[in-house]
Structures are given as C-alpha cells and as structure tokens.
Amino acid sequence: MDDTPSRIPTALPALRSMARDAGFTMSSEDRTGSLLAALAAARPGCRILELGTGVGEGTAWLLSGMDPDSCLTTVELDPALQVFAQEQLGADPRVTFVSGDGGAWLEDFDGAPFDLVFADTWPGKFTHLDQALDLVAPGGIYLIDDLVPQPGWPQGHEASVKRLLAELDGREDFRCVRMAWASGLLMAVRTARRPRVDRDHQLDTVFP
C-alpha cells in the first residue's frame, strides 16, 4: 500500500519553496501532515495548539482538516520563519500566530484547554512537557514527531528522546501509542474521567 497522501493543502507548494529559499529543513513531512489533517477533522469546533510554526507547512495541514468553527493557535520563536506562514495563511480567520518563545508562552497561558496539541519544537516536548500536557483537554490528543534518529541530531539527543518516551509511557493520565512511521510519532490521548456517585455516602468520586 502506498501511504503517500493523495491530497495536499493548496498553500503547501509555495511554503515548500519558501522553506528551500530560507534553508529551513525541519518542516513536518507529508505523512505526518496527513495525520494532522485527519486529527483536525475528527472533532468539529476543535481547539488546536501547534508549538513550532516553522514556515507553516504543519499549519497548512492542520487548517486543511479543520472545519469553519475550529481554531488554531500556532507559536514560533523565529519571526523570520513565521512570516512565511503569515503571508500564505494569515488571511484565514481560524488561525492565530504567536511570535515568541514557546516555553514562556506555555508558562503564561491561562486559557481553555485544547483538543489537539502538536509539539513540533523543543518547548512542549523536551522542555515544558508538563505545561503542554496540562493543556490537553480530557479525550484530547498530544502528538509529537521526529522521534527516529535524524542526520542533524546533536550528540546526546537520542538519550533525550528515550527519556521523553519513557516519561510519556509512564503517565497514568494518558494512553500512548508509538508509531514507527513517517519521522517517528507518538500520540497520547488524555483519559476522559467522569463522575460516579457513591450511593452509600452520596459523594461524587472519579474513575477513569
């Protein structure tokens, strides 16, 4: 079976050209993008957070799957990269671009949780992991990529990936699935918890 996506966002060719001109090589690859679009389409009116806009290729995939009532916040440290995404996608009212450090944004954000968090940069993945996971709504999804060895990985990065995977697998409030596919993905779903009435004491307890 050929798993190459048959549909791509209309802005993707222009964004790819901009990425090449800027020497940017860290965009999400197409199979990851197709998964992002499918996850964005799964829940009408969803709230999505992307950590690491880059030039906007992942952003374009997310927008291509979102319905008119969904919204996307995408955060990027480098404004010189994010400007490409703003040029191509900024007219879409569903997306809000934030230029700044993702770690600081995670520390300061006090809004509603998100149905999908895609962490495609260090903050929210290798740093500020707890803050990112805290922003995932019950039943929501946390997704990370680039987990298989890459040519540009710095020394010691593989050990960081192993620690991250172990930490996520050990979380009792998330169910994780690793995917040895595309650039190497992990999807974690926050377990939904609902109240149960203790009939003897008439107290609400919670069970997974």
Side-chain angles (χ1 to χ4, degrees):
M1 179 181 68
D2 183 2
D3 61 359
T4 303
S6 59
R7 298 166 57 186
I8 66 170
T10 56
L12 203 60
L15 290 169
R16 285 175 174 164
S17 177
M18 292 174 175
R20 286 193 298 270
D21 292 345
F24 183 72
T25 61
M26 301 301 292
S27 294
S28 298
E29 62 105 64
D30 284 354
R31 289 174 297 171
T32 301
S34 67
L35 177 61
L36 290 172
L39 293 175
R43 185 173 301 184
C46 66
R47 287 172 45 80
I48 300 174
L49 171 64
E50 178 185 36
L51 297 167
T53 314
V55 299
E57 292 188 43
T59 311
W61 280 106
L62 287 165
L63 288 169
S64 73
M66 291 163 51
D67 77 344
D69 296 322
S70 295
C71 61
L72 166 64
T73 299
T74 181
V75 184
E76 171 58 45
L77 176 64
D78 188 348
L81 288 176
Q82 195 181 61
V83 69
F84 298 126
Q86 292 172 321
E87 289 176 2
Q88 292 295 315
L89 306 170
D92 192 321
R94 299 172 298 169
V95 60
T96 298
F97 292 97
V98 177
S99 180
D101 179 76
W105 186 91
L106 287 167
E107 291 173 358
D108 294 340
F109 182 75
D110 62 354
F114 295 88
D115 302 298
L116 171 61
V117 174
F118 175 46
D120 195 25
T121 188
W122 278 68
K125 185 190 294 187
F126 297 111
T127 69
H128 301 83
L129 176 63
D130 287 340
Q131 289 92 334
L133 294 177
D134 285 345
L135 292 181
V136 180
I141 293 170
Y142 170 82
L143 182 72
I144 52 178
D145 63 349
D146 299 331
L147 298 176
V148 298
Q150 308 288 325
W153 272 10
Q155 185 176 2
H157 189 66
E158 186 171 0
S160 298
V161 170
K162 289 180 178 179
R163 285 194 297 270
L164 171 64
L165 295 178
E167 184 171 353
L168 288 167
D169 284 338
R171 298 274 307 216
E172 294 186 357
D173 52 344
F174 283 84
R175 293 297 299 268
C176 298
V177 57
R178 301 185 188 188
M179 293 174 276
W181 174 77
S183 63
L185 309 176
L186 181 141
M187 183 168 64
V189 178
R190 189 177 200 108
T191 54
R193 306 173 76 86
R194 57 188 176 88
R196 180 181 64 185
V197 175
D198 183 331
R199 297 300 180 185
D200 293 331
H201 302 91
Q202 293 297 302
L203 296 174
D204 286 348
T205 58
V206 175
F207 69 97

